[in-house]
Amino acid sequence: MGSRLAFILAVAVACLAHPAGAQTYPDRPIRIVVPTGPGGATDIVTRVVAEKIQASLGQPVVVENRPGANGNVGAAYVLSQPADGYTLMMGHIGLMTINAHLYKEMKFNPLTEFAPVIRATTYANALVVTNSLPIHSTKDLVEYAKKSPTGLRFSSAGVGGSLHMGFELLKVEAGFEAQHVPYTATAKALLSVISGETDALFADVLAAIPHISSRSLRGVAISSKQRSRLLPDLPAVAESGIPALANFDVVGWNGLVAKTGTPADRIKLINEHVKRALEAPDMAERMSKLGADVAVMSTNEFGAFMRAEDKKWGGLVKKADLKVN
């Protein structure tokens, strides 16, 4: 009887030391919500990451698209789920660090209600213009915009993304006016420039390359401080020779986040698996073909990075007096 009692006590102590589920996560499928439509940069990056980590986690990783309001719809859904690590979200620049400043009625604060897990990728955008305009450089564009009696019209894939905000930053820093014409997808925004309906836009590099190569529109510059490996002949905006643009640097990015309150050990586990997947030898080349760069950050680094981005874009929204209902 004594040995049996000792065994029962030992089991009880073990259960207290290791609460149910602590050592078994994940014991069912994990969902990664993509707050954009299928086929875009955020969606493609998420699917590549999901494919890589499900084998090492030993559970299916399901990608679920919930687009709308520049990511707000998908984010609201994730916040309605338990903070247990089984529903994650692939955040992006617009949703995590721009929307709260841009939208008048935000029902949540992305930086406080989501916990950083890991930054995954960054991607530059290409500044392109319609062929009918005498614009061959960033300097030409700025000068044309300042002198044009009708003004410049620029398109984007929607309000609040890096394509839209990159051009708003260019306007503010270089000191010219331009009218924003938002579309619902990059392809539509590009077609508007090709047709001459609008004059210019920042487009993600991968989407811009076929049109630059076919000369259906003209490539002018790259939004990041470093030139793109995929478009090495295009100078960075920062290389324009315009002093006000010397530090111009706009990159889109994606990173996994979880609902605040998710256990730290689960966030750490996901971070480790995603980091290992992204740093695999084949991933840099695979991401490059998608127009992205592997840009892993730890949980703490990613949190600090998002706070800095929030400050940057919040300042621009205020300076440019941008607001959306």
Side-chain angles (χ1 to χ4, degrees):
M1 180 67 73
S3 60
R4 184 181 177 189
L5 179 60
F7 174 75
I8 292 171
L9 287 171
V11 171
V13 169
C15 287
L16 287 172
H18 302 284
Q23 300 302 313
T24 57
Y25 172 82
D27 59 7
R28 54 189 169 87
I30 289 174
R31 284 185 300 170
I32 302 179
V33 171
V34 175
T36 64
T42 302
D43 178 63
I44 295 170
V45 166
T46 306
R47 292 180 188 278
V48 171
V49 169
E51 174 196 323
K52 278 280 190 179
I53 65 173
Q54 63 182 357
S56 62
L57 284 170
Q59 290 291 339
V61 179
V62 180
V63 177
E64 185 176 316
N65 296 90
R66 288 183 176 265
N70 199 32
N72 287 352
V73 171
Y77 172 74
V78 174
L79 291 175
S80 74
Q81 303 301 298
D84 57 9
Y86 285 98
T87 304
L88 306 170
M89 182 175 73
M90 186 62 84
H92 60 72
I93 180 175
L95 167 58
M96 299 305 299
T97 62
I98 296 172
N99 284 6
H101 304 286
L102 199 59
Y103 286 83
K104 291 178 181 176
E105 296 184 8
M106 280 278 287
K107 298 184 190 274
F108 61 92
N109 184 329
L111 288 188
T112 60
E113 296 184 50
F114 286 99
V117 177
I118 186 170
R119 191 181 75 172
T121 58
T122 58
Y123 45 93
N125 300 316
L127 179 59
V128 296
V129 299
T130 188
N131 283 326
S132 62
L133 294 182
I135 296 173
H136 297 269
S137 66
T138 302
K139 195 170 185 178
D140 286 348
L141 184 143
V142 172
E143 290 176 352
Y144 178 88
K146 287 181 176 180
K147 294 176 182 177
S148 172
T150 56
L152 197 74
R153 288 162 57 86
F154 74 96
S155 59
S156 79
V159 176
S162 65
L163 309 184
H164 170 210
M165 299 304 287
F167 212 102
E168 293 288 354
L169 184 63
L170 182 65
K171 283 170 49 183
V172 168
E173 296 296 316
F176 67 88
E177 295 296 325
Q179 181 185 349
H180 179 214
V181 183
Y183 290 82
T184 56
T186 300
K188 293 179 181 179
L190 279 163
L191 286 174
S192 77
V193 175
I194 292 168
S195 68
E197 188 176 333
T198 57
D199 303 315
L201 86 152
F202 275 114
D204 60 86
V205 168
L206 205 62
I209 284 175
H211 302 292
I212 294 173
S213 299
S214 67
R215 299 188 179 182
S216 58
L217 48 69
R218 188 179 302 126
V220 170
I222 291 293
S223 66
S224 59
K225 264 199 160 182
Q226 291 76 38
R227 295 193 182 197
S228 168
R229 293 191 305 275
L230 299 179
L231 291 169
D233 293 333
L234 283 192
V237 170
E239 296 178 72
S240 65
I242 300 173
L245 298 177
N247 293 313
F248 191 92
D249 187 24
V250 176
V251 292
W253 49 265
N254 294 116
L256 273 180
V257 295
K259 184 177 178 180
T260 296
T262 300
D265 60 337
R266 297 185 178 190
I267 287 177
K268 183 174 183 290
L269 180 71
I270 295 296
N271 175 286
E272 290 169 352
H273 281 263
V274 174
K275 182 176 185 292
R276 193 178 307 126
L278 287 170
E279 291 179 347
D282 65 315
M283 285 298 279
E285 182 180 356
R286 193 169 178 182
M287 287 298 177
S288 181
K289 288 178 180 178
L290 298 175
D293 292 304
V294 173
V296 172
M297 276 185 170
S298 69
T299 299
N300 289 337
E301 289 170 338
F302 186 30
F305 170 78
M306 285 196 288
R307 289 190 293 275
E309 286 280 277
D310 181 75
K311 184 177 180 181
K312 171 182 177 177
W313 297 114
L316 174 64
V317 169
K318 187 175 181 180
K319 194 171 184 178
D321 194 25
L322 301 171
K323 280 293 177 183
V324 186
N325 291 328

